[in-house]
Amino acid sequence: DAGVIQSPRHEVTEMGQEVTLRCKPISGHDYLFWYRQTMMRGLELLIYFNNNVPIDDSGMPEDRFSAKMPNASFSTLKIQPSEPRDSAVYFCASGTSGGGVSRQYFGPGTRLTVT
Amino acid sequence: QQQVKQSPQSLIVQKGGIPIINCAYENTAFDYFPWYQQFPGKGPALLIAIRPDVSEKKEGRFTISFNKSAKQFSLHIMDSQPGDSATYFCAASRDDKIIFGKGTRLHILP
């Protein structure tokens, strides 16, 4: 299996631009998670989906962030407009119903820099 | 009540030593406690996990000790090696919620 695939791996953008991060979960997994990692705040869960339905979005920092999962094999995290404080590594992870939220398989991450 | 407090933030140990990373949780509804290991430039990966009905779990050189009454758990790495240098995250979860600690950056000196 290819594992969780994220694109792009690196993104540099200017403040105010729209940023879209993409994730392809492991085939057959029905949980999908989005995280943000910074030195200051550690690993923060932003939102997760179960069977393409958002279950918990309490970690989404503000309305500038939105996430969608149109089908079982694709999800996006969008930031519009982006700000320098959004600079971080964003991880996508997936999991099975057997493991629930506890056993997650992380992708390699997208390093976002907003200048 | 949803926090998981992890310490220390960073740790340096000589090769062969036993680094210990500690975590404490508040919500007794949590029923699964995984540890994740993250190497630089990679995503975290599940390392080992424990349920609160056991006090200890070993997998290779990695051991989790669990103290349910104190709501604390810890990771021990026996005979640590430079290849164990990574960031370690503890977590606490229940059916629909997982909370991660802030991570411990571990460096094993050769």
Side-chain angles (χ1 to χ4, degrees):
Chain A
D1 203 326
V4 175
I5 298 173
Q6 291 187 246
S7 64
R9 295 293 313 277
H10 302 273
E11 177 81 34
V12 180
T13 191
E14 292 184 348
M15 182 174 64
Q17 297 298 306
E18 177 179 295
V19 176
T20 299
L21 310 182
R22 297 172 175 80
C23 176
K24 177 179 170 56
I26 295 172
S27 177
H29 284 194
D30 44 21
Y31 280 84
L32 186 135
F33 308 83
W34 281 101
Y35 290 87
R36 177 173 66 177
Q37 184 175 35
T38 62
M39 289 293 293
M40 288 294 292
R41 301 173 70 90
L43 192 63
E44 301 175 275
L45 176 61
L46 301 177
I47 185 171
Y48 81 87
F49 297 82
N50 182 215
N51 292 318
N52 311 337
V53 176
I55 303 299
D56 184 355
D57 65 354
S58 60
M60 295 285 265
E62 49 198 275
D63 292 346
R64 297 185 298 107
F65 286 69
S66 62
K68 293 182 180 179
M69 191 164 187
N71 57 62
S73 59
F74 184 67
S75 177
T76 59
L77 178 68
K78 186 175 294 186
I79 308 172
Q80 166 63 15
S82 58
E83 297 182 3
R85 60 193 169 119
D86 301 330
S87 297
V89 180
Y90 291 82
F91 288 103
C92 175
S94 68
T96 66
S97 55
V101 301
S102 304
R103 301 181 187 182
Q104 301 179 25
Y105 298 80
F106 283 75
T110 295
R111 181 173 295 277
L112 173 64
T113 303
V114 183
T115 60
Chain B
Q1 274 219 328
Q2 296 284 45
Q3 277 191 320
V4 175
K5 295 181 180 178
Q6 183 171 348
S7 63
Q9 278 189 312
S10 62
L11 186 58
I12 299 174
V13 173
Q14 289 281 352
K15 176 184 173 182
I18 305 175
I20 301 173
I21 304 170
N22 300 299
C23 286
Y25 63 100
E26 299 169 346
N27 190 339
T28 55
F30 290 131
D31 60 5
Y32 193 73
F33 300 88
W35 286 87
Y36 282 77
Q37 179 188 54
Q38 182 182 27
F39 292 108
K42 305 290 186 182
L46 181 62
L47 180 65
I48 186 173
I50 196 169
R51 294 199 180 274
D53 53 347
V54 297
S55 59
E56 185 176 277
K57 183 173 182 179
K58 290 183 180 181
E59 285 187 8
R61 295 183 295 105
F62 298 90
T63 299
I64 301 176
S65 298
F66 193 89
N67 185 330
K68 187 175 180 179
S69 61
K71 293 186 285 186
Q72 295 176 348
F73 57 110
S74 59
L75 178 70
H76 299 63
I77 306 175
M78 310 302 288
D79 187 27
S80 59
Q81 301 296 314
D84 298 327
S85 297
T87 299
Y88 292 81
F89 294 92
C90 64
S93 71
R94 64 168 196 260
D95 289 342
D96 60 351
K97 194 79 174 181
I98 184 166
I99 306 291
F100 282 87
K102 292 202 178 298
T104 296
R105 298 180 72 176
L106 173 65
H107 184 60
I108 307 298
L109 298 172

